[in-house]
Amino acid sequence: MLWIVGWSSPEYFFESGQWVVPISDYWTVNAMKCLSMLLTFFRVSGEFKDAAKLYRVLAHRPAVHMTMQQRILGFGAFLLQYIVAVVVVLMAIQLILTSTTPIAT
């Protein structure tokens, strides 16, 4: 779903006969993009905190007693959480930087 919205929609690349660029000619649009970026990073920081908690449990010294299956599942959960956080950040940045009006951000 994110791929369809972020990459295959033509309005995110070409709008009103011009290529969409990340920096606008209008300061209000750039100000709203900066504010939106700060809010996005704040919201996504929770995803990275969850991934950090999983990593701390897996890499704790002295080692926490876990079976091999629990370690593998924990590492898989860490990997998925980290990948989701990175994808959400990238897609949010792409959607914010392609907006052309202050209201769209």
Side-chain angles (χ1 to χ4, degrees):
M1 180 67 178
L2 289 176
W3 183 84
I4 292 170
V5 170
W7 297 106
S8 65
S9 298
E11 65 266 12
Y12 291 115
F13 295 117
F14 199 69
E15 184 176 296
S16 302
Q18 296 179 348
W19 287 104
V20 177
V21 294
I23 299 175
S24 176
D25 294 333
Y26 305 101
W27 70 270
T28 54
V29 175
N30 291 329
M32 288 305 294
K33 285 182 181 185
C34 289
L35 181 63
S36 297
M37 294 288 281
L38 288 174
L39 290 173
T40 299
F41 287 133
F42 178 72
R43 284 186 287 161
V44 175
S45 68
E47 300 287 334
F48 284 108
K49 285 180 186 175
D50 292 341
K53 286 179 187 176
L54 286 168
Y55 179 77
R56 280 195 301 269
V57 168
L58 292 171
H60 186 264
R61 295 290 180 237
V64 177
H65 179 67
M66 286 188 252
T67 64
M68 185 56 83
Q69 182 181 9
Q70 288 173 328
R71 285 204 181 270
I72 291 171
L73 289 174
F75 183 72
F78 164 73
L79 212 64
L80 285 174
Q81 186 69 33
Y82 192 76
I83 289 170
V84 165
V86 169
V87 167
V88 167
V89 166
L90 293 176
M91 293 307 298
I93 289 171
Q94 197 269 339
L95 290 173
I96 290 169
L97 292 180
T98 58
S99 60
T100 56
T101 62
I103 294 173
T105 58

